[in-house]
Amino acid sequence: MKQTRFWKTLRAHLLAPKVSQEELDRCLQQAREKLPVPVFWLLGKAQSGKTSLIRALTGSSRAEIGNGFRPCTRTAQVYPFPGEEDALLKFLDTRGLGEVGYNPAEDMRLLEDQAHLLIVVIKAMDHAQQSVLDPLAKIMKSHPDWPLLVVQTALHEGYPANVREHVLPYPFAAPPFPASVPEDLARSLTAQRAWFAKFNARFVPVDLTLPEDGFNVEHYGLEQLWDAIEQALPLGLRAMMQHTRDVRRSLRDTYFRAAHPHVLAYSVAAGAAAGLPVPFVDVPLVVAIQAKLFHAVASIYGQPMNATRMAEIGSTLGVGYLVRLGGRELMKVIPGVGSAVAALYAGASTYALGRTLCAYFSYAQRGDVPDAAALRELYKEQYEEGRRRLRDYFEQITRGQESKP
């Protein structure tokens, strides 16, 4: 009887959340403040490949990136991914490099208290880089402990004419480079590395092209780029954000591609809320976050979201989901383990819910009736996928919070 009342109460929260919008926004803000939002400071000349780098890391289109930047200082603009309210990651792009009198002090002050990675982006065959190296020297003098990553882009500009084949396997781990690397390119990459000899820099040569460019690998060096990022700033972002081949094919669906980052963001927020150590206190907040996800995904797919629709979806997913949510709360009585497990469960279940909603609304757009059994099976699959994607992230965050005095 108690269990029946419990899941009925939770279902009522899901279909008609009892948390006010102001309270939800406040709690979401508190949850996000518990999590680091890494800022990748991109320092590079115009046309050096910064937008291509963001596109490869996030899966966003050039148009989305171009429309997403906003000014944040007189000399810089920021791109929050996927959006300002639910950012998982921010890219800071310095403007005005090469202009007389550029001083990075204002941009440095902006980043004083944020998780940070400085990424210098230079074309592999471009040796006119003084406008980048001068401010870099000032930045590293003030913050010698900031991790520095040098991304050498547009490798194909150092290839012989009409060559569209990247060298495989990836040969740029460390110089001297093998003979398979074109001589002029190898010489240029090595010379550029010498500019950073006084810094503790990591180097990653990449060629981040488009499919229509005709190369044998679209994002050449992306795996190595993610490796370098994780070594410099170990937050578990790679497992959470990097797409598998199957997902990448699914991303051809414009609606899904737009919704997926928001699903990740709400999953992280739900996990942070569920990390509260007191049993049952966070239940209304978690389900309210999931209800907000309902509305966000519905809006992206252009579908109406009302009590009838939410009841239909809740019925399709089944009561078992709500009962398992109660079981998640009982895990919190396990000292030192329960909250971490609860956070991962809430994050993974929110991820599965979001991905299932994408499928549901995709059916609805076509006027089809989704098969309840298929959606439940999809939910189970995506729950496991969510656990895989989010496990490293929450483990790293928990470890970091425990190490704080």
Side-chain angles (χ1 to χ4, degrees), residues 40-60:
F40 290 2
W41 187 355
L42 305 178
L43 202 66
K45 294 163 57 176
Q47 307 302 317
S48 61
K50 291 176 289 185
T51 299
S52 295
L53 186 147
I54 297 173
R55 180 179 64 87
L57 291 176
T58 65
S60 302

Side-chain angles (χ1 to χ4, degrees), residues 8-20 284 287-288 290-292 294-295 305-308 310-311:
K8 283 185 176 180
T9 301
L10 287 180
R11 181 171 181 175
H13 275 295
L14 182 60
L15 301 182
K18 299 299 189 295
V19 180
S20 69
V287 294
Q290 293 180 340
K292 195 173 179 69
F294 267 73
H295 289 280
M305 201 64 206
N306 49 41
T308 301
M310 291 184 78

Side-chain angles (χ1 to χ4, degrees), residues 1 67 72 77 106 111 119 174 200 208 216 233 253 255 262-263 272 282 284 340-341 357 377 385 388 396 398 402-403:
M1 180 66 68
N67 295 329
C72 59
Q77 53 186 358
E106 185 177 7
L111 299 176
I119 302 180
N200 183 23
L208 307 174
N216 58 328
L233 202 66
D253 181 330
Y255 294 101
H262 296 278
V263 171
D282 66 293
V341 174
L357 288 174
E377 186 62 30
E385 175 72 7
R388 183 188 67 78
Q396 294 285 0
T398 302
E402 291 175 347
S403 66

Side-chain angles (χ1 to χ4, degrees), residues 19-46:
V19 180
S20 69
Q21 186 61 48
E22 288 185 3
E23 178 69 6
L24 176 57
D25 289 341
R26 183 184 67 81
C27 291
L28 276 173
Q29 182 61 33
Q30 289 180 345
R32 290 184 181 120
E33 286 174 356
K34 294 168 56 179
L35 304 171
V37 178
V39 177
F40 290 2
W41 187 355
L42 305 178
L43 202 66
K45 294 163 57 176

Side-chain angles (χ1 to χ4, degrees), residues 3 11 14 29 46 108 119 139 154 161 182 186 204 216 221 228 252 271 293-294 326 338 401:
Q3 187 184 68
R11 181 171 181 175
L14 182 60
Q29 182 61 33
M108 280 191 284
I119 302 180
I139 294 168
V204 185
N216 58 328
R252 295 171 187 170
L293 172 62
F294 267 73
Q401 290 175 344

Side-chain angles (χ1 to χ4, degrees), residues 18-308:
K18 299 299 189 295
V19 180
S20 69
Q21 186 61 48
E22 288 185 3
E23 178 69 6
L24 176 57
D25 289 341
R26 183 184 67 81
C27 291
L28 276 173
Q29 182 61 33
Q30 289 180 345
R32 290 184 181 120
E33 286 174 356
K34 294 168 56 179
L35 304 171
V37 178
V39 177
F40 290 2
W41 187 355
L42 305 178
L43 202 66
K45 294 163 57 176
Q47 307 302 317
S48 61
K50 291 176 289 185
T51 299
S52 295
L53 186 147
I54 297 173
R55 180 179 64 87
L57 291 176
T58 65
S60 302
S61 69
R62 288 184 179 273
E64 290 168 335
I65 296 168
N67 295 329
F69 270 110
R70 61 172 180 79
C72 59
T73 70
R74 290 173 297 174
T75 55
Q77 53 186 358
V78 65
Y79 174 68
F81 173 80
E84 181 61 36
E85 293 186 357
D86 51 2
L88 297 167
L89 181 63
K90 293 182 179 180
F91 296 88
L92 184 76
D93 182 18
T94 299
R95 299 172 293 175
L97 289 180
E99 297 178 2
V100 176
Y102 168 71
N103 187 332
E106 185 177 7
D107 297 336
M108 280 191 284
R109 283 194 296 271
L110 180 70
L111 299 176
E112 288 288 352
D113 299 320
Q114 302 186 56
H116 179 82
L117 174 63
L118 183 60
I119 302 180
V120 175
V121 185
I122 56 177
K123 279 192 170 184
M125 301 302 290
D126 184 356
H127 288 257
Q129 296 291 339
Q130 206 59 43
S131 62
V132 175
L133 295 173
D134 287 345
L136 174 64
K138 295 178 182 178
I139 294 168
M140 297 308 294
K141 183 178 181 179
S142 298
H143 294 276
D145 57 329
W146 277 0
L148 173 62
L149 179 61
V150 180
V151 180
Q152 297 165 288
T153 65
L155 299 179
H156 65 270
E157 294 183 359
Y159 294 178
N162 300 321
V163 170
R164 286 292 183 272
E165 297 288 325
H166 296 302
V167 178
L168 295 175
Y170 184 84
F172 299 108
F177 304 123
S180 56
V181 176
E183 184 177 351
D184 289 345
L185 176 61
R187 186 184 302 113
S188 183
L189 293 173
T190 303
Q192 287 180 341
R193 291 186 180 217
W195 302 338
F196 302 89
K198 60 182 178 181
F199 307 122
N200 183 23
R202 295 176 175 85
F203 297 87
V204 185
V206 301
D207 208 73
L208 307 174
T209 55
L210 296 168
E212 55 266 31
D213 293 323
F215 287 92
N216 58 328
V217 180
E218 179 183 349
H219 292 154
Y220 184 64
L222 181 59
E223 293 291 324
Q224 289 73 20
L225 177 58
W226 269 118
D227 285 342
I229 290 173
E230 286 295 313
Q231 290 171 19
L233 202 66
L235 291 175
L237 290 171
R238 178 182 186 177
M240 184 168 65
M241 294 178 59
Q242 195 171 27
H243 303 304
T244 62
R245 289 182 180 179
D246 290 340
V247 171
R248 207 176 275 137
R249 281 195 292 268
S250 299
L251 290 178
R252 295 171 187 170
D253 181 330
T254 302
Y255 294 101
F256 176 83
R257 184 167 54 81
H260 181 67
H262 296 278
V263 171
L264 279 173
Y266 280 109
S267 301
V268 167
L276 298 173
V278 182
F280 296 103
V281 169
D282 66 293
V283 169
L285 176 57
V286 171
V287 294
I289 290 172
Q290 293 180 340
K292 195 173 179 69
L293 172 62
F294 267 73
H295 289 280
V297 175
S299 176
I300 289 171
Y301 279 82
Q303 295 295 303
M305 201 64 206
N306 49 41
T308 301

